[in-house]
């Protein structure tokens, strides 16, 4: 055993096996080492691997834990180290009929869900403008997380006509999922819970097996996950949960902070162990993060400490604009790379929303700095990959109408919406899926002429590969589909740069398949298309973060959780952006935003840069800003750089923005408020009308957004200006916002 590598509190956590345990593990406190050593200690003290269940939230974390445990105890066959969704999937695959599903059920991702809802809205003649797809899916997800069936949800909203319509969509959505033999991600948890709740024998089977349960990132569990864990651990009480209430940042997607705060109420005999020594960050960064998070009231008291040096102070820069903000960040990265030999992958730019990445990309490209974006478009969401995945899903599940609709006309086979509708109607009348109707031959009657020939060829390809899938590797199935469907030929014939890029993505996907097959082979298993598709469906973009790739990483603060970088930049630290405007009106949301700030700050190991912009353009409007409340909560002794304006009362409700001098100007920052201001801007007062009238051809001018420029043309109403930054712009004299340079 290597317990001597653990500190006193870590050893205590690793050797306390029996009974309920709450391990409060602060950021960078070595919780993964503690958990793996705990599992190794259990095995070495006679506990069967078969009786151990360890659950975490990401595939990456589960893989890392499996590898570490294997290095300590050798073979771990029989032990479950997995994610919540993978655990439930594994249980459901064994007994799908118990929850009303057939074998080889599919897992629909967000794109599939949107397609399904859009089809329902169209059939019910409901406008997507009035019933946004994302909003409906959010409602459905909320219902499933809280075990609200369509019927139960309707009973709670009987007097709300709009909610009644949404309930109808929800009910039809569930019906179509079942008919396609498909589940969404929420279904994996919901049906996993149902499997245990409605089948005493199955619950007892898993209770007998998993006598010792460990849960990582317990602060991120939702209601369903909480119920599943509680059901499994209730009999033996040997449950160990690890987490940090200060890092609960996913309440918007169902995480319930009370699960960790109330653990001692659920398990009254629980012992609490705090891991407070941080091994990641220097002293000043930890002190800064603490000075922010201690303003939260809904938390368990603790304070991280380190035996590392204090290190550099936290750097703060108050930029003039968002362009100056991006310029500063790119410049500092270049300076540290050249002057102090930091590698490109030592740097991370963490922002509150994906929309903030655009300006940073531009300035990094201008300086030739390599970068990669996480949490933008998922690699697997690219059209060509979604198309091929749809083909592969039809091979294993002919009931999947969503996949058929996606690719029956990719490549083009002359099938329009009307023809497809005829096929759908014909199949429905016979109680079949569309693919089943085609495979049985009856569905072909919906087509004529050349289209019939093309669809017959399409059907023959699916039939041929489906019949042979047990004799083919995943790579072979993929290659057959690429060629026999005509997809590669279509892209080659297109002969464009875009098509070439799509072909490259398809070839890169072969590498993903090869990696999967190699892993399976090394573990002594056999590669199967269904197994590969399941792994693909459960994969998150952050799981693919390659720490060895030498490039600056751009990602949202949410996506950065669990990662660390020597140098971190946090831009956009302004009220209305971070914290967001809605959080400033709701104390619970504000506390979650503050936890997010804490998480972002504690990603930094050596250097932390905080940046705000005095003037920012959002939603087409340029406004002065006020420095973030989180900046004002920072201990000033820890800051190096621009002074942070601290009014006598920095607390307040609503969005208050301030100039560089700290004088607040109340302006809305919500997108839906912009229309009102757009209308108001047309009501020009006399002063505004004079604003552009004093400039003439040949004048050097300055614009609040475009910078310096030269007036090259003038007429009664407009000025044409050649700007250094954006080239030629025609501006209305009355609202030009110009001054002489």
């Amino acid at each position: 055993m290597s317990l001597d590598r653990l500190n006193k509190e870590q050893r205590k956590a690793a050797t306390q096996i029996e009974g309920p345990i709450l391990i409060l593990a602060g950021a960078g406190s070595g919780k993964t080492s503690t958990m793996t050593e705990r599992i190794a200690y259990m095995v070495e003290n006679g506990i069967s691997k078969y009786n151990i269940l360890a659950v975490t939230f990401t595939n990456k974390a589960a893989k890392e834990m499996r590898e570490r445990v294997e290095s300590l105890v050798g073979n771990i066959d029989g032990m479950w180290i997995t994610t919540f969704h993978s655990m439930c999937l594994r249980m459901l695959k064994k007994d799908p009929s118990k929850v009303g599903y057939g074998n080889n059920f599919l897992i629909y991702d967000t794109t599939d869900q949107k397609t399904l809802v859009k089809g329902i809205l169209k059939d019910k003649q409901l406008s997507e403008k009035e019933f946004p797809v994302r909003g409906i899916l959010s409602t459905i997800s909320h219902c499933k997380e809280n075990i609200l069936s369509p019927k139960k949800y309707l009973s709670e909203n009987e007097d709300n006509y709009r909610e009644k319509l949404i309930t109808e969509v929800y009910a039809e959505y569930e019906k179509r999922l079942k008919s396609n033999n498909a589940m969404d991600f929420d279904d994996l948890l919901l049906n996993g819970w149902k499997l245990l709740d409605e089948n005493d024998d199955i619950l007892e089977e898993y209770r007998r097996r998993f006598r010792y349960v460990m849960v990582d990132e317990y602060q991120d569990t939702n209601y369903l996950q909480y119920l599943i864990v509680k059901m499994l651990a209730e009999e033996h009480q040997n449950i160990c949960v690890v987490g940090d209430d200060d890092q609960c940042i996913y309440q918007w997607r169902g995480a319930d902070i009370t699960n960790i705060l109330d653990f001692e109420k659920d398990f009254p005999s629980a012992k609490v162990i705090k891991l407070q020594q941080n091994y990641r960050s220097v002293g000043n960064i930890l002190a800064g993060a603490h000075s922010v998070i201690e303003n939260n009231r809904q938390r368990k008291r603790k304070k991280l400490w380190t035996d590392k040096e204090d290190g550099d102070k936290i750097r703060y820069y108050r930029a003039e604009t968002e362009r100056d903000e991006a310029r500063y960040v790119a410049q500092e990265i270049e300076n540290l790379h050249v002057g102090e030999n930091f590698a490109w992958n030592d740097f991370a730019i963490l922002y509150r929303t994906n929309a903030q990445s655009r300006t940073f990309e531009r300035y990094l490209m201008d300086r030739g700095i390599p970068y990669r974006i996480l949490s933008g478009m998922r690699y697997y969401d690219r059209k060509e990959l979604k198309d091929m995945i749809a083909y592969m899903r039809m091979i294993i599940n002919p009931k999947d109408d969503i996949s058929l609709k996606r690719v029956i006309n990719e490549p083009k086979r002359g099938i329009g919406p009307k023809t497809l509708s005829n096929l759908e109607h014909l199949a429905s009348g016979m109680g079949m899926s569309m693919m089943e109707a085609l495979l049985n031959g009856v569905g072909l009657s919906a087509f004529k002429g050349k289209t019939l020939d093309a669809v017959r060829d399409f059907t023959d390809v699916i039939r041929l590969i489906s019949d042979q899938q047990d004799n083919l590797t995943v790579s072979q199935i993929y290659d057959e589909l690429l060629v026999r469907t005509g997809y590669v030929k279509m892209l080659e014939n297109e002969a464009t740069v875009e098509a070439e890029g799509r072909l490259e993505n398809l070839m890169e996907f072969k590498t993903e398949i090869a990696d999967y097959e190699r892993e399976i082979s090394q573990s002594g298993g056999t590669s199967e298309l269904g197994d590969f598709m399941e792994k693909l469906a459960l994969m998150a973009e952050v799981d693919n973060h390659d720490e060895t790739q030498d490039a600056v990483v751009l990602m949202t603060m949410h996506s950065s959780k669990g990662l660390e970088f020597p140098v971190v930049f946090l831009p956009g630290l302004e009220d209305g952006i971070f914290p967001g405007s809605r959080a400033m009106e709701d104390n619970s949301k504000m506390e979650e935003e503050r936890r997010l700030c804490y998480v972002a700050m504690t990603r930094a190991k050596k250097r932390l840069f905080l940046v705000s912009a005095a003037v920012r353009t959002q939603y087409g409007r340029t406004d002065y800003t006020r420095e973030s409340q989180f900046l004002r909560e920072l201990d000033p002794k820890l800051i190096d750089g621009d002074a942070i304006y601290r009014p006598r009362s920095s607390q307040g409700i609503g969005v208050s923005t301030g100039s560089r001098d700290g004088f607040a100007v109340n302006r809305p920052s919500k997108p839906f408020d912009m229309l009102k201001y757009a209308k108001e801007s047309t009501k020009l007062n006399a002063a505004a009308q004079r604003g552009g009238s004093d400039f003439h051809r040949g004048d050097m001018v300055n614009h609040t957004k475009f910078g310096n420029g030269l007036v090259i043309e003038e007429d009664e109403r407009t000025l044409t200006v050649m700007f250094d930054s954006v080239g030629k712009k025609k501006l209305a004299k009355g609202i030009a916002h110009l001054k002489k340079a």
Side-chain angles (χ1 to χ4, degrees):
M1 279 298 293
S2 52
L3 292 178
D4 55 333
R5 291 185 298 194
L6 304 182
N7 65 39
K8 180 182 176 183
E9 292 305 307
Q10 289 173 332
R11 281 196 299 276
K12 186 178 176 183
T15 55
Q16 182 67 52
I17 304 303
E18 302 296 327
I21 312 290
L22 169 60
I23 302 174
L24 290 172
S29 62
K31 71 177 176 70
T32 304
S33 297
T34 304
M35 290 180 72
T36 53
E37 292 287 355
R38 186 176 192 271
I39 294 172
Y41 182 84
M42 291 163 70
V43 173
E44 292 182 3
N45 282 271
I47 294 172
S48 170
K49 298 170 186 176
Y50 187 80
N51 294 139
I52 299 172
L53 168 66
V55 189
T56 187
F57 272 80
T58 67
N59 296 310
K60 182 180 178 182
K63 183 181 179 183
E64 182 183 358
M65 191 177 294
R66 279 195 297 270
E67 290 173 349
R68 288 202 191 187
V69 172
E70 278 185 323
S71 71
L72 293 172
V73 302
N75 189 293
I76 58 169
D77 287 351
M79 189 186 298
W80 282 27
I81 301 178
T82 183
T83 65
F84 272 104
H85 288 89
S86 295
M87 176 183 71
C88 289
L89 175 61
R90 195 166 176 178
M91 291 177 174
L92 291 165
K93 278 179 68 179
K94 187 179 176 183
D95 295 289
S97 62
K98 297 287 188 180
V99 291
Y101 278 83
N103 295 324
N104 295 322
F105 60 82
L106 294 173
I107 306 163
Y108 276 0
D109 63 14
T110 305
T111 304
D112 302 318
Q113 291 177 271
K114 288 178 180 176
T115 302
L116 201 57
V117 170
K118 284 181 178 181
I120 296 168
L121 291 175
K122 185 179 178 182
D123 292 346
K124 291 185 174 293
Q125 298 183 325
L126 297 174
S127 166
E128 286 188 36
K129 287 186 178 180
E130 292 182 47
F131 296 90
V133 173
R134 288 180 65 180
I136 289 175
L137 285 173
S138 178
T139 298
I140 292 173
S141 181
H142 170 78
C143 287
K144 291 186 177 184
E145 285 173 358
N146 292 280
I147 320 178
L148 294 173
S149 65
K151 185 177 180 181
K152 192 171 182 180
Y153 185 68
L154 180 61
S155 69
E156 295 182 0
N157 296 277
E158 285 182 317
D159 299 329
N160 190 318
Y161 179 69
R162 175 181 171 82
E163 293 302 319
K164 284 177 70 175
L165 291 176
I166 291 175
T167 304
E168 289 179 16
V169 175
Y170 177 19
E172 182 61 24
Y173 173 83
E174 290 294 276
K175 181 181 174 183
R176 295 191 186 186
L177 276 177
K178 279 284 184 71
S179 67
N180 288 346
N181 198 30
M183 300 184 195
D184 61 25
F185 282 97
D186 293 312
D187 282 330
L188 290 176
L189 299 179
L190 179 60
N191 288 328
W193 170 79
K194 283 181 179 178
L195 184 69
L196 299 175
D197 186 63
E198 297 173 1
N199 300 275
D200 291 341
D201 57 330
I202 294 175
L203 174 60
E204 186 56 33
E205 176 191 341
Y206 285 113
R207 277 179 171 174
R208 278 199 310 271
R209 175 166 187 176
F210 300 128
R211 298 174 64 88
Y212 297 86
V213 178
M214 294 178 65
V215 184
D216 191 17
E217 305 288 2
Y218 192 65
Q219 77 281 347
D220 293 334
T221 52
N222 63 22
Y223 181 56
L224 271 173
Q225 291 160 336
Y226 161 79
L227 288 178
I228 291 169
V229 169
K230 199 165 185 292
M231 289 169 77
L232 290 172
E234 209 157 26
E235 184 174 328
H236 299 291
Q237 296 278 302
N238 296 324
I239 178 170
C240 173
V241 301
V242 185
D244 182 6
D245 50 300
D246 287 337
Q247 296 187 74
C248 181
I249 59 173
Y250 296 119
Q251 285 184 273
W252 51 276
R253 69 181 190 196
D256 188 349
I257 195 172
T258 61
N259 291 346
I260 192 167
L261 295 177
D262 293 346
F263 182 80
E264 294 154 274
K265 292 180 182 176
D266 292 326
F267 298 93
S269 62
K271 294 182 179 177
V272 180
I273 301 170
K274 296 181 181 180
L275 306 184
Q276 298 179 98
Q277 184 175 357
N278 177 283
Y279 295 93
R280 176 186 298 155
S281 307
V282 295
N284 283 330
I285 292 173
L286 287 183
H290 181 74
S291 69
V292 173
I293 197 63
E294 68 176 351
N295 290 276
N296 271 7
R297 295 180 180 177
Q298 199 177 22
R299 66 185 293 263
K300 292 181 178 289
R301 296 294 166 188
K302 54 193 169 301
K303 185 176 182 180
L304 295 180
W305 62 275
T306 182
D307 56 11
K308 293 178 181 285
E309 69 280 1
D310 288 341
D312 288 1
K313 287 187 176 184
I314 298 168
R315 291 281 301 174
Y316 173 58
Y317 179 70
R318 179 70 162 163
E320 295 290 346
T321 65
E322 70 270 16
R323 293 180 303 282
D324 184 34
E325 174 184 64
R327 177 204 59 76
Y328 169 78
V329 171
Q331 180 180 294
E332 288 298 315
I333 289 173
E334 190 172 57
N335 290 344
L336 288 170
H337 174 72
V338 175
E340 300 188 36
N341 294 318
F342 282 97
W344 294 125
N345 58 4
D346 286 337
F347 301 97
I349 304 171
L350 312 181
Y351 33 74
R352 182 62 181 83
T353 64
N354 279 310
Q356 292 171 254
S357 70
R358 180 184 58 82
T359 314
F360 294 104
E361 285 190 75
R362 173 186 164 187
Y363 280 85
L364 291 172
M365 281 191 291
D366 285 349
R367 290 178 177 266
I369 297 173
Y371 70 90
R372 62 192 299 250
I373 296 179
L374 264 67
S375 75
M377 175 186 270
R378 283 206 329 150
Y379 172 71
Y380 304 105
D381 285 341
R382 290 171 168 84
K383 181 185 182 306
E384 58 276 13
L385 298 185
K386 292 289 290 184
D387 288 347
M388 293 314 300
I389 288 168
Y391 272 113
M392 294 164 82
R393 293 198 321 194
M394 284 192 298
I395 299 299
I396 58 175
N397 182 8
K399 292 184 178 293
D400 184 14
D401 280 350
I402 293 293
S403 291
L404 180 136
K405 288 178 180 178
R406 180 178 184 93
V407 296
I408 193 171
N409 207 37
E410 289 287 344
K412 297 293 181 269
R413 299 184 176 96
I415 303 168
K418 187 176 179 181
T419 308
L420 197 59
S421 179
N422 290 340
L423 172 61
E424 188 170 19
H425 182 74
L426 192 154
S428 179
M430 301 188 67
M432 299 178 179
S433 72
M434 295 161 74
M435 192 70 241
E436 287 173 327
L438 290 176
L439 290 169
N440 288 339
V442 293
L444 294 173
S445 61
F447 306 95
K448 298 177 182 178
K450 291 183 179 179
T451 300
L452 173 60
D453 293 337
V455 172
R456 186 179 282 121
D457 289 343
F458 163 81
T459 305
D460 287 346
V461 169
I462 302 301
R463 179 185 290 109
L464 175 67
I465 299 176
S466 294
D467 291 345
Q468 291 296 314
Q469 62 176 304
D470 292 340
N471 303 320
L472 300 170
T473 66
V474 180
S475 293
Q476 289 169 334
I477 291 171
Y478 183 67
D479 288 343
E480 290 290 329
L481 286 169
L482 282 175
V483 176
R484 290 181 180 272
T485 60
Y487 204 96
V488 168
K489 187 177 180 181
M490 171 190 73
L491 293 177
E492 288 174 344
N493 290 341
E494 191 175 311
T496 64
V497 174
E498 183 184 2
E500 186 177 339
R502 292 171 67 187
L503 277 168
E504 287 174 358
N505 288 332
L506 290 171
M507 294 304 107
E508 181 61 28
F509 191 50
K510 283 194 65 173
T511 305
E512 184 77 33
I513 296 172
D515 288 344
Y516 158 77
E517 290 177 331
R518 186 163 49 253
E519 285 181 16
I520 293 294
S521 175
Q522 288 171 351
S523 64
T526 305
S527 69
E528 295 179 3
L529 180 60
D531 182 57
F532 174 71
M533 299 304 289
E534 288 164 6
K535 290 184 184 303
L536 202 62
L538 295 173
M539 192 173 290
E541 182 71 2
V542 73
D543 293 331
N544 292 321
H545 172 50
D546 182 2
E547 296 175 354
T548 64
Q549 185 175 339
D550 198 19
V552 177
V553 176
L554 283 70
M555 59 171 46
T556 63
M557 295 175 181
H558 282 100
S559 298
S560 73
K561 190 166 177 291
L563 303 176
E564 58 182 40
F565 303 88
V567 186
V568 169
F569 292 85
L570 305 184
L573 289 175
E574 303 132 34
D575 284 350
I577 294 184
F578 189 49
S581 53
R582 293 183 181 178
M584 300 181 73
E585 300 167 0
D586 183 317
N587 189 58
S588 176
K589 287 186 174 68
M590 176 61 86
E591 291 215 348
E592 179 160 13
E593 288 280 278
R594 190 175 284 112
R595 290 193 293 270
L596 182 59
C597 184
Y598 176 80
V599 166
M601 292 177 73
T602 54
R603 297 312 93 195
K605 297 167 69 174
K606 296 180 178 179
R607 308 279 181 86
L608 177 61
F609 291 78
L610 310 178
V611 195
S612 69
V615 176
R616 187 175 296 275
T617 301
Q618 265 193 308
Y619 316 117
R621 182 176 178 85
T622 301
D623 284 317
Y624 290 105
T625 73
R626 182 183 183 182
E627 292 164 314
S628 168
Q629 179 168 325
F630 305 145
L631 284 173
R632 304 194 301 273
E633 291 171 355
L634 267 171
D635 184 345
K637 296 192 297 292
L638 304 170
I639 304 294
D640 186 17
D642 290 0
I644 297 169
Y645 175 69
R646 290 178 169 80
R648 289 178 184 173
S649 178
S650 62
Q651 307 294 323
I653 298 175
V655 181
S656 179
T657 59
S659 72
R660 192 178 179 102
D661 296 324
F663 296 101
V665 181
N666 292 313
R667 296 275 175 88
S669 64
K670 298 178 183 178
F672 47 78
D673 286 335
M674 291 303 152
L675 284 176
K676 179 178 74 173
Y677 277 83
K679 292 174 182 177
E680 288 182 2
S681 70
T682 63
K683 303 173 184 177
L684 303 175
N685 57 35
Q689 291 183 34
R690 290 194 299 269
S693 63
D694 296 332
F695 301 100
H696 306 284
R697 185 174 178 181
D699 286 345
M700 293 297 298
V701 296
N702 180 271
H703 188 274
T704 53
K705 181 179 180 181
F706 305 128
N708 292 332
L710 175 69
V711 179
I712 57 175
E713 293 180 19
E714 178 193 10
D715 60 29
E716 186 178 343
R717 297 183 179 178
T718 66
L719 295 171
T720 302
V721 183
M722 182 65 72
F723 290 102
D724 297 337
S725 60
V726 294
K728 189 163 61 175
K729 291 282 183 182
K730 183 172 280 190
L731 308 173
K733 283 185 174 180
I735 53 173
H737 301 292
L738 294 173
K739 61 182 182 181
K740 290 197 176 178

